[in-house]
C-alpha cells in the first residue's frame, strides 16, 4: 500500500486538453479546413508547450498511500511534498467526461474540512487506483459506520434522492436554460464565421421585394398575431432546449449517502461525483415558481464554500476561496422536502418552523416604491405617445398591479428564529425560502434608511461566508424597529454561541 | 445680469461645500459608536443610512491595524476586522487612537485560542 504511485500514463493527454480547452474549435477548424486564419495557427503553437508541460507533470508526479496520510509529490521547477492526513480528508470527488469514461479514468479532487481550497487535484487516475485510495482514506470511517447496528451496506438503501428523466424534463420546463444553449450555439456560429459567413444565409431574405411588399400589406392585427406566434414559438423552442440541457447535464441525478457524506452524482456525457458535506453548506435556498407549484415541486440549492469550485484546471495553488451555488435537489416533491433536509442537514427541522410576518404596513412602503416606477413610466408613455388615454391606462393598470403586488408580498414575507438557525421566506409569485444555521452566520447588521425611520421600521441583514460580493446575505426588510432590534440581538447571541468551522 | 447670477451660484456652492466639509465629518463622528465585549465587536454608524453591525468574536478571522501617514501624525489608527463573510468581509473602524486600537485587536484575536479551529 505504501509504494510510490504515478499518474495514469495517459494523463498528459487530459492535461493538454485542459490547457487548450479554449482553443478547441479553432484547432478543429485548422485540422479540417485547409488554411484558416492566423488565429488558428497561433492556437497550434500553444498546443506544443501545453503538451510538453503535461508530459513533464506526468513524469514528475508521485503519490503514496501511507499508513495515516496521503503524500503527494509534484512540481517541475519547484518541488513540493504535501502530507494530507486521512482524517482531514472530507471527500474525494470525481469528474469524468466521455474521454475519461472511455479510458476508465477520472479527474480526482481531494477536499479537506478546513480551509477553502481543494487540497489536491489529480489529473488523472484510473478507477482502480481511485478505489484503492478511497478504501485507504475512508477505512476508519467505514469501520466506525459498520459498528452502528442500524446501517446496512445495501447500496439501494443509501439513496436519498433520485431524479429520473421525467423529473428532469419538468426541471427543464420550469427553468430557462434554453438561453444558455442558444448563446453557446451562437458562440460556435461566430467562431465558424471565420471561414463561413452566416450573413450569406440571411441576405437573400433581407433584399427580397417579396418581404418588403408582404410587410407593408399585412394589416396590423395579423402582424400582431404573427408576432405573438413567433414569440410563443421562440419560448417553446427555448423550453425544449432547456429540457434537453437538463436531460444531459443532470442525467441520472442521484443523492447518495456514502462514506459518511452525501454525494451528488449526475451527468450524461461528463459524469460528476461530488460530495456535499453538511459542514460546508453555508445556506440553503428553496425555490418555488408558479410552474413549480403546478408540478407540486421545489428546487433546492445550497451555497457551499471551499473546494476550489468547478473548474478542475485550477490547481490548489491558484484556487481562490470559492463559493458555489449548487443543486441539492434540482426537483423534489414539496412533500418530501422535510425528510430530504433532515438527511442532509440533520439539525434543520423544517416542520417546526413557525413564521413571523414582517410589519403589516410594509405594503405601503412597497407600494410607494412601485408607484414611483409607474410614475416614471407614465412620463415616458406621455412623451412617447402624447396620448392621455395611454398615460391613463398605464397609470391605472400600473397602480392596481403595484397595489396587488405590495399586499401580496407583505402577506407572504416572513422570518423564523429557530434553535438551529434562521429561515426567511419572501415572494408570492416566485417564492423563495432561505435557511441559514447560526454556526454559519458571519456578521449581523441592523440597518435603518431614512424611509425606515419615517415609518418606524428597520431591516436586519445576515452575512454568510463566500467569495463573491453578492448573493450571500439574507436581508429581512420592513421589520418594526423594536422587533428588528430584538431579532438582531437574538441572532447575535445565538451566533456567538455556535462556533464556526470551515 | 446672468453673470451676477452665476457668480452668486458659485459663491453659494462654495460656501455650502465648505460648511458641508466641516459639518459632515462632525456629524459622522458624533454618530459613530462602538462596543467591544466578550460577545464581539458592535459598531453603530451612519447619519441618514444608519446601521449597527455586530461581529461575533468567534467569527473574527484576522485583524489589521492600519495607519496612514496623516494618521501616524495624530496617533490615530484604523482597525479592520476580517470575517469570512462577503459583504462584511472587512469591517473597518477608523478614528481610533493607536493606543486603543491595539488592545482591541489583541482582545478580538485572543479569543480563538481555545477553539482549535483550523
Amino acid at each position: 500500500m505504501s509504494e510510490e504511485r504515478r499518474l495514469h500514463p495517459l494523463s498528459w493527454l487530459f492535461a493538454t486538453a485542459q490547457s487548450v480547452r479554449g482553443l478547441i474549435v479553432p484547432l478543429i477548424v485548422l485540422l479540417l479546413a485547409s488554411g484558416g486564419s492566423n488565429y488558428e495557427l497561433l492556437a497550434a503553437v500553444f498546443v506544443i508547450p501545453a503538451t510538453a508541460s503535461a508530459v513533464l507533470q506526468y513524469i514528475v508526479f508521485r503519490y503514496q498511500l501511507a499508513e495515516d496520510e496521503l503524500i503527494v509529490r509534484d512540481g517541475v521547477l519547484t518541488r513540493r511534498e504535501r502530507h494530507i492526513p486521512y482524517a482531514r480528508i472530507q471527500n474525494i470527488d470525481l469528474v469524468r467526461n466521455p474521454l475519461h469514461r472511455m479510458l476508465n479514468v477520472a479527474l480526482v479532487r481531494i477536499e479537506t474540512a478546513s480551509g477553502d481550497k481543494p487540497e489536491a487535484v489529480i489529473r488523472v487516475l484510473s478507477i482502480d487506483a481511485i478505489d484503492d485510495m478511497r478504501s485507504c482514506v475512508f477505512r476508519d470511517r467505514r469501520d466506525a459506520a459498520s459498528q452502528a447496528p442500524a446501517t446496512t451496506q445495501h447500496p439501494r438503501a443509501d439513496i436519498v434522492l433520485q431524479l429520473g428523466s421525467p423529473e428532469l424534463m419538468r426541471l427543464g420546463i420550469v427553468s430557462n436554460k434554453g438561453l444558455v444553449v442558444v448563446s453557446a450555439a451562437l458562440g460556435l456560429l461566430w467562431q465558424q464565421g471565420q471561414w463561413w459567413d452566416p450573413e450569406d444565409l440571411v441576405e437573400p431574405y433581407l433584399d427580397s421585394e417579396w418581404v418588403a411588399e408582404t410587410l407593408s400589406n399585412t394589416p396590423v392585427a395579423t402582424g400582431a398575431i404573427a408576432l405573438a406566434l413567433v414569440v410563443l414559438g421562440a419560448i417553446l423552442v427555448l423550453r425544449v432546449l432547456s429540457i434537453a440541457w437538463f436531460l444531459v447535464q443532470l442525467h441520472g441525478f442521484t443523492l447518495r449517502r456514502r462514506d459518511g457524506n452525501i454525494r451528488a452524482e449526475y451527468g450524461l456525457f461528463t459524469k460528476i461525483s461530488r460530495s456535499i458535506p453538511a459542514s460546508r453548506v453555508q445556506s440553503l435556498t428553496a425555490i418555488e415558481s408558479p410552474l413549480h407549484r403546478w408540478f407540486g415541486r421545489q428546487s433546492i440549492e445550497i451555497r457551499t464554500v471551499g473546494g476550489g469550485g468547478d473548474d478542475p484546471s485550477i490547481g490548489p495553488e491558484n484556487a481562490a476561496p470559492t463559493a458555489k451555488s449548487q443543486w441539492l435537489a434540482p426537483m423534489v416533491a414539496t412533500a418530501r422536502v422535510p425528510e430530504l433536509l433532515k438527511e442532509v442537514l440533520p439539525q434543520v427541522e423544517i416542520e417546526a418552523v413557525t413564521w413571523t410576518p414582517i410589519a403589516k404596513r410594509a405594503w405601503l412602503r412597497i407600494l410607494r416604491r412601485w408607484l414611483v416606477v409607474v410614475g416614471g413610466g407614465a412620463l415616458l408613455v406621455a412623451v412617447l405617445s402624447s396620448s392621455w388615454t395611454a398615460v391613463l391606462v398605464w397609470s391605472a393598470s400600473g397602480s392596481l398591479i403595484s397595489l396587488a403586488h405590495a399586499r401580496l408580498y407583505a402577506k407572504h414575507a416572513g422570518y423564523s428564529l429557530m434553535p438551529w438557525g434562521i429561515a426567511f421566506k419572501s415572494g408570492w409569485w416566485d417564492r423563495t425560502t432561505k435557511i441559514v444555521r447560526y454556526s454559519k452566520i458571519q456578521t449581523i447588521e441592523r440597518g435603518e434608511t431614512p424611509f425606515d425611520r419615517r415609518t418606524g421600521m428597520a431591516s436586519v441583514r445576515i452575512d454568510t461566508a463566500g467569495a463573491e460580493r453578492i448573493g450571500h446575505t439574507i436581508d429581512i426588510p420592513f421589520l418594526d424597529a423594536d422587533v428588528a432590534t430584538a431579532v438582531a440581538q437574538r441572532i447575535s447571541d445565538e451566533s456567538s454561541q455556535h462556533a464556526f468551522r470551515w | 445680469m446672468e453673470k451676477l447670477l452665476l457668480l452668486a451660484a458659485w459663491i453659494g456652492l462654495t460656501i455650502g461645500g465648505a460648511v458641508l466639509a466641516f459639518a459632515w465629518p462632525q456629524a459622522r463622528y458624533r454618530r459613530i459608536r462602538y462596543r467591544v465585549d466578550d460577545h464581539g465587536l458592535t459598531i453603530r454608524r451612519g447619519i441618514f443610512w444608519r446601521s449597527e453591525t455586530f461581529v461575533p468574536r468567534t467569527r473574527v478571522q484576522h485583524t489589521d491595524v492600519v495607519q496612514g501617514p496623516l494618521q501616524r501624525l495624530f496617533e490615530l489608527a484604523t482597525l479592520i476586522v476580517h470575517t469570512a463573510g462577503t459583504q462584511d468581509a472587512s469591517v473597518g473602524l477608523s478614528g481610533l487612537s493607536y493606543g486603543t486600537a491595539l488592545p482591541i485587536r489583541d482582545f478580538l484575536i485572543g479569543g480563538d485560542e481555545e477553539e482549535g479551529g483550523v
Side-chain angles (χ1 to χ4, degrees), chain A residues 38-217:
Chain A
N38 289 330
Y39 184 60
E40 280 89 8
L41 285 171
L42 267 173
V45 169
F46 282 125
V47 178
I48 299 166
T51 319
S53 102
V55 172
L56 272 173
Q57 173 76 341
Y58 163 72
I59 292 173
V60 145
F61 190 97
R62 299 274 191 286
Y63 74 96
Q64 223 172 324
L65 296 169
E67 181 64 33
D68 279 320
E69 59 187 3
L70 170 68
I71 306 174
V72 174
R73 292 192 188 90
D74 67 350
V76 175
L77 289 174
T78 317
R79 298 283 303 167
R80 181 179 57 180
E81 181 171 310
R82 190 173 260 183
H83 291 242
I84 311 167
Y86 292 150
R88 270 184 62 198
I89 294 180
Q90 203 161 41
N91 46 260
I92 297 177
D93 289 347
L94 305 182
V95 177
R96 311 176 67 197
N97 64 34
L99 194 60
H100 286 114
R101 286 159 62 197
M102 246 180 359
L103 299 169
N104 221 22
V105 297
L107 179 121
V108 183
R109 256 213 316 264
I110 297 173
E111 297 176 0
T112 59
S114 66
D116 31 15
K117 313 176 182 186
E119 206 58 43
V121 175
I122 308 181
R123 178 178 300 124
V124 297
L125 290 182
S126 73
I127 295 296
D128 294 331
I130 295 172
D131 280 337
D132 281 344
M133 190 183 282
R134 274 228 174 95
S135 59
C136 276
V137 171
F138 298 119
R139 174 192 61 216
D140 295 328
R141 261 163 272 198
R142 198 168 298 135
D143 291 343
S146 61
Q147 278 163 23
T151 54
T152 63
Q153 287 306 309
H154 194 282
R156 298 288 305 176
D158 294 339
I159 291 184
V160 174
L161 179 75
Q162 198 157 39
L163 298 183
S165 300
E167 282 295 305
L168 292 176
M169 286 172 65
R170 287 193 196 100
L171 180 60
I173 296 174
V174 155
S175 330
N176 197 15
K177 283 286 186 177
L179 280 177
V180 172
V181 180
V182 167
S183 49
L186 283 178
L188 215 66
L189 267 176
W190 180 87
Q191 188 86 56
Q192 286 188 323
Q194 303 273 344
W195 46 273
W196 170 68
D197 205 349
E199 278 185 25
D200 291 338
L201 200 65
V202 185
E203 256 188 75
Y205 294 103
L206 287 178
D207 286 342
S208 124
E209 288 176 358
W210 175 85
V211 172
E213 261 190 57
T214 331
L215 276 180
S216 52
N217 286 344

Side-chain angles (χ1 to χ4, degrees), chain B residues 23-40:
Chain B
W24 189 262
Q26 283 203 18
R28 218 164 43 147
Y29 166 75
R30 267 196 304 252
R31 291 225 68 95
I32 290 195
R33 297 261 189 284
Y34 70 93
R35 178 175 66 221
V36 181
D37 58 18
D38 269 334
H39 292 287

Side-chain angles (χ1 to χ4, degrees), chain B residues 10-97:
Chain B
W10 267 115
I11 295 178
L13 270 174
T14 317
I15 296 181
V19 167
L20 210 65
F22 270 97
W24 189 262
Q26 283 203 18
R28 218 164 43 147
Y29 166 75
R30 267 196 304 252
R31 291 225 68 95
I32 290 195
R33 297 261 189 284
Y34 70 93
R35 178 175 66 221
V36 181
D37 58 18
D38 269 334
H39 292 287
L41 171 69
T42 315
I43 301 176
R44 268 189 211 167
R45 60 171 121 225
I47 303 171
F48 293 121
W49 263 257
R50 298 184 194 167
S51 67
E52 178 176 315
T53 312
F54 173 66
V55 181
R57 214 168 147 200
T58 51
R59 303 293 195 266
V60 175
Q61 296 285 318
H62 49 271
T63 57
D64 292 330
V65 172
V66 178
Q67 275 188 312
L70 215 59
Q71 285 175 307
R72 267 206 299 278
L73 212 62
F74 291 97
E75 284 186 22
L76 297 171
T78 304
L79 174 73
I80 305 180
V81 174
H82 295 271
T83 67
T86 46
Q87 210 126 340
D88 291 333
S90 334
V91 176
L93 185 61
S94 52
L96 292 172
S97 82

